[in-house]
Amino acid sequence: MRLVAIGRMKDKSERALVERYLKRLRPKLEIIELPDGRGSPDEIKRREAQAILAACPAQSHVVVLDEAGHNFSSPEFSNAVQGWLTAGHTPCFVIGGAEGLDASVIQRADASMSFGTLTWPHMLVRIMLVEQIYRAQAIAAGHPYHRSGRP
């Protein structure tokens, strides 16, 4: 699996949270950090889109994080990830930059997901996504990490 993200995670505590979950993931999650774009907002989105699309393997199942995306429950997300992997589609998750994702990236996407309509800092989204990927694996394995509280 792969995560393509605009921006570099510099804060040690944020990196530590991501590393905490990365160590537990099977299959592994590779993180590709791309530099923030420069120029006008349209130019930034265009340049970031070129880099994002180049970093997504051709046969991967591209999943963009977008506020208009599907708002999965954790069990639904687990089922989706397991389905993609079982079908031989390696997930490639994409987190855009501050200007958002260019239309070309959204058009390339096989799926989109959202963490709700609130605006989240990109580095926090990265932490939440990595944790949810770990949670998805725990759910699929029947591990007690995920306790929903619902019958």
Side-chain angles (χ1 to χ4, degrees), residues 4 6 34 43-56 102 104-105:
V4 177
I6 300 295
L34 302 172
E43 184 66 15
I44 289 169
K45 284 171 68 170
R46 188 187 65 74
R47 288 182 183 178
E48 289 177 351
Q50 290 173 336
I52 288 168
L53 293 172
C56 293
D102 187 70
S104 62
V105 177

Side-chain angles (χ1 to χ4, degrees), residues 17 20 30 68-69 72 79 89 98 100 102 109 113 119 131 140-141 143:
L17 280 170
R20 177 181 183 181
E30 174 188 20
F72 289 94
N79 288 337
H89 303 294
D102 187 70
M113 65 180 287
T119 301
E131 189 279 337
H143 189 277

Side-chain angles (χ1 to χ4, degrees), residues 9-49:
M9 188 166 268
K10 299 171 189 151
D11 184 87
K12 289 179 186 178
S13 59
E14 292 170 345
R15 272 199 324 259
L17 280 170
V18 169
E19 290 296 325
R20 177 181 183 181
Y21 294 105
L22 287 177
K23 290 177 191 174
R24 303 174 187 176
L25 291 176
R26 300 288 180 274
K28 293 281 190 189
L29 177 70
E30 174 188 20
I31 296 180
I32 307 295
E33 294 182 316
L34 302 172
D36 294 305
R38 303 272 187 247
S40 70
D42 287 341
E43 184 66 15
I44 289 169
K45 284 171 68 170
R46 188 187 65 74
R47 288 182 183 178
E48 289 177 351

